[in-house]
Every structure is written in structure tokens, then in C-alpha cells.
Amino acid sequence: MTANRTIWIAVGLILAASPAWSQTPQTNWWSAPGREDGPARIVWAAQKTPQTPYTGPNKPIWHIADILKAHNGKKSWDQQVLLTRDFDGHYISMAPGEKTKCLFYADDRAFGWIYSGQVKITIDGQEPKILSKGWAFNVAPRLSYCMETIGNEPAVFYRTTPAGQAPSYPENQTPTPIAGYTYVKAKITSTGGYDALNVPFFNVDEYGASERTGERFLYDGHTNANLHLDFNIAQLPRATSWGHFHANMAEAWVDVYGQIDVLISGIGLVHGERGDVIHANEERWHRATSRPDTGKSIRMAITSRAKEGQVLYVQAAAGAGGN
């Protein structure tokens, strides 16, 4: 046996006897999937100057009371309350007996929440379900859905659809014309569905009244509609705690249970009641909590790109805090 061969055999024995060398992978945070527990570092983050303005239907807060007052006396109406690069949000009222056409979106979800009244929702592959006050719905891509008001009262609900995307229709429906588009017959084989992080129907009021926490309703590669639950607090965080902001991404909330307080840079503190829609534009600091001494709250937090990891830029100053 040569000297060199003896040396290599010895090295091999050492490696085989050292699991830490040969079997345990070293953590590489820089290559880990999107997450929020990586190494802390200070960076330079860009914010628009002046801050991103509110345009079109967007405003820091839409109060449901003002929306209902504006449409007083009407049983059917449609009020756009949110329009971002990703999402088109509307409050809608449908008169008793009113029905929608069945339609679907190719690659994105439609979702919403019932403010009052009763709506029968029929989704491909699901048993039709009558949803009343406090229920949320989540329609997976490529599944057509129809809505119908049940009972003697109008149904009022919030609904988000993908911004700028023309819907598709089953063959037995007549598409509603859209300027700039021509509907043609085509064949698809793609399907849509649900998993542990996505459910078609969710009872928000029951969730809020229970001791359950941390449950998911809608979460995929494009859309996050997290039912963010906050417990009662005695007082708001200090005014120097601004929360966080996102690069090139807005965040919106529908107050679906209890009362919330949201601090938005350039706007100040806005107070949300059940049904209100609150919106923090791109790169604006924002911090959301329950309103002090009002109990538990749940807000439907609407953002994009959550599954891949969305960067939360928090204050660099030590002890500034954030939410």
C-alpha cells in the first residue's frame, strides 16, 4: 500500500466518523425560501417623494356607513372601493332574487365577505351554499361561480377580483361585452381547487367568537387574504412605532370583525368599524391593531406575493417597534 493511498483512506475514515461534516447541511439563510426569520440587517429602502397619492376610487378609508348612505333607497348598486395593480375591490348590493352570470378568472381568485343579507354561491365542484352575515368566500382560479340573493332583503357584500383581467365564461353563458375584447370559443384542460391553506367558505363570525387562532382562508402564489386576528389591547403602541411598509405594493384591509385602528404615514390614525375598507398605498408606513378596549378584531388583510415572501421594511431605530 502506498503512502498516498494510506493518507486518503485515513481522511475517508475521519469523514465517515464525522456526521457534522458529511451529513448535516449548513444553514444558508440567503438561499432559504421567503420567510421572516432570516438574519437582521440594515438596508436603504426607497420611498416615493412625495408619498404615493390616493387616486381613482382609492382613499385611506371607506366607511361602510357612508357607502350605504350614498345608495340609500336602492336595492341594487355597485361601489368600487379599491383598485391596485393586483386587486379590484367593490361593495355590491343585489336585490332579492337577483342573480349573476356564471364566470371565472383564468389564473387568479375571486373572494369576498358578506356584510348583510343572504347569498347563495354556486362554485364548480362544490355544493351550493347559502352564506349569511359574516361568511367569507374564496373562488379558486378556473372554477366558475354564480351568486344569487336569497330572502326578502338585499344582500350586501364586499368582493375582490383580479385587476384588469377579463373574466371567462362557461359555454352555456353569454359573455358580457367588454370594450377592447372579443370573446371566442376555446378549450381548456386546466383545473382549480382547494388545499389546506385555501377553503371555499369560512365563517368569520364563528371564528371570532371562538378560541381558535392562526387559521388560513386564502393563500397562494399571487394572493393573500389573511384573516388577521388581533386580541384586545389596553392602549395603542407609541406614536413613534410606525409599523412597516412594502416596496411597490399596497396593502388593504376589510374590517370583518370588531374594531381596528390603522396608522398610515401622511394620513394619521384611521378608525375602522365592521365593514370599513382601509388602504395603505405603496411605500407608506402602516400599523394595524385592535382598537383599545373594544375586544378582539379580525381584518381581511389583502396583499400579493405573500407565498414567495414579501419584504416588511421595519424601522431601523432600536426599540421603535412595529406591526
Side-chain angles (χ1 to χ4, degrees):
M1 182 180 293
T2 66
N4 285 342
R5 187 178 179 190
T6 301
I7 292 171
W8 283 115
I9 290 174
V11 171
L13 291 173
I14 292 172
L15 290 174
S18 304
W21 284 22
S22 59
Q23 297 177 16
T24 304
Q26 298 300 305
T27 299
N28 182 354
W29 289 108
W30 312 104
S31 300
R35 52 202 294 176
E36 293 299 330
D37 58 351
R41 60 257 195 212
I42 301 299
V43 302
W44 290 104
Q47 287 186 309
K48 288 187 179 179
T49 307
Q51 295 185 81
T52 305
Y54 288 89
T55 59
N58 299 318
K59 59 171 72 174
I61 183 166
W62 279 89
H63 293 290
I64 184 63
D66 294 337
I67 296 172
L68 296 174
K69 183 178 179 180
H71 298 281
N72 186 39
K74 301 177 184 177
K75 295 184 177 181
S76 296
W77 47 264
D78 185 321
Q79 176 70 64
Q80 188 180 38
V81 294
L82 179 71
L83 182 61
T84 69
R85 177 192 59 196
D86 300 288
F87 305 117
D88 187 358
H90 293 239
Y91 254 113
I92 298 167
S93 176
M94 296 199 317
E98 187 174 346
K99 303 178 182 179
T100 69
K101 292 182 179 181
C102 298
L103 56 82
F104 66 93
Y105 291 92
D107 300 306
D108 296 297
R109 298 174 185 271
F111 60 94
W113 169 77
I114 312 302
Y115 175 76
S116 64
Q118 291 185 309
V119 180
K120 177 182 176 182
I121 300 186
T122 303
I123 302 174
D124 283 344
Q126 303 292 320
E127 288 293 326
K129 191 173 183 67
I130 296 176
L131 305 183
S132 55
K133 167 187 170 293
W135 279 83
F137 59 92
N138 169 10
V139 183
R142 295 174 288 282
L143 300 184
S144 70
Y145 75 102
C146 325
M147 305 180 73
E148 176 184 359
T149 299
I150 302 298
N152 299 320
E153 298 295 327
V156 177
F157 55 91
Y158 171 84
R159 183 179 67 195
T160 297
T161 56
Q165 185 179 141
S168 299
Y169 296 82
E171 185 181 12
N172 64 357
Q173 297 286 301
T174 301
T176 299
I178 300 177
Y181 289 85
T182 299
Y183 277 97
V184 300
K185 284 195 174 182
K187 181 168 65 175
I188 64 172
T189 57
S190 302
T191 60
Y194 298 95
D195 54 30
L197 300 178
N198 291 277
V199 295
F201 310 112
F202 192 97
N203 190 333
V204 178
D205 282 4
E206 180 185 86
Y207 181 44
S210 74
E211 298 303 315
R212 291 147 44 201
T213 61
E215 297 190 13
R216 284 284 185 181
F217 156 66
L218 191 161
Y219 182 73
D220 66 18
H222 176 267
T223 304
N224 176 41
N226 180 28
L227 295 172
H228 190 107
L229 188 153
D230 277 321
F231 291 98
N232 184 56
I233 57 176
Q235 61 184 20
L236 289 173
R238 54 189 176 277
T240 55
S241 176
W242 304 337
H244 64 263
F245 70 89
H246 308 280
N248 194 34
M249 185 177 70
E251 182 166 2
W253 305 268
V254 183
D255 184 338
V256 293
Y257 189 92
Q259 301 177 55
I260 63 176
D261 277 345
V262 182
L263 181 67
I264 304 173
S265 61
I267 302 299
L269 193 68
V270 296
H271 306 285
E273 304 281 346
R274 178 184 176 274
D276 290 352
V277 178
I278 302 173
H279 177 200
N281 256 345
E282 294 90 336
E283 291 98 34
R284 285 183 183 255
W285 293 98
H286 51 273
R287 184 202 72 208
T289 65
S290 296
R291 188 179 303 179
D293 294 324
T294 62
K296 185 187 300 184
S297 69
I298 302 175
R299 60 185 188 271
M300 183 184 286
I302 303 170
T303 58
S304 60
R305 304 194 300 275
K307 199 169 187 177
E308 288 70 23
Q310 45 181 228
V311 175
L312 306 184
Y313 289 101
V314 299
Q315 291 169 263
N323 183 38

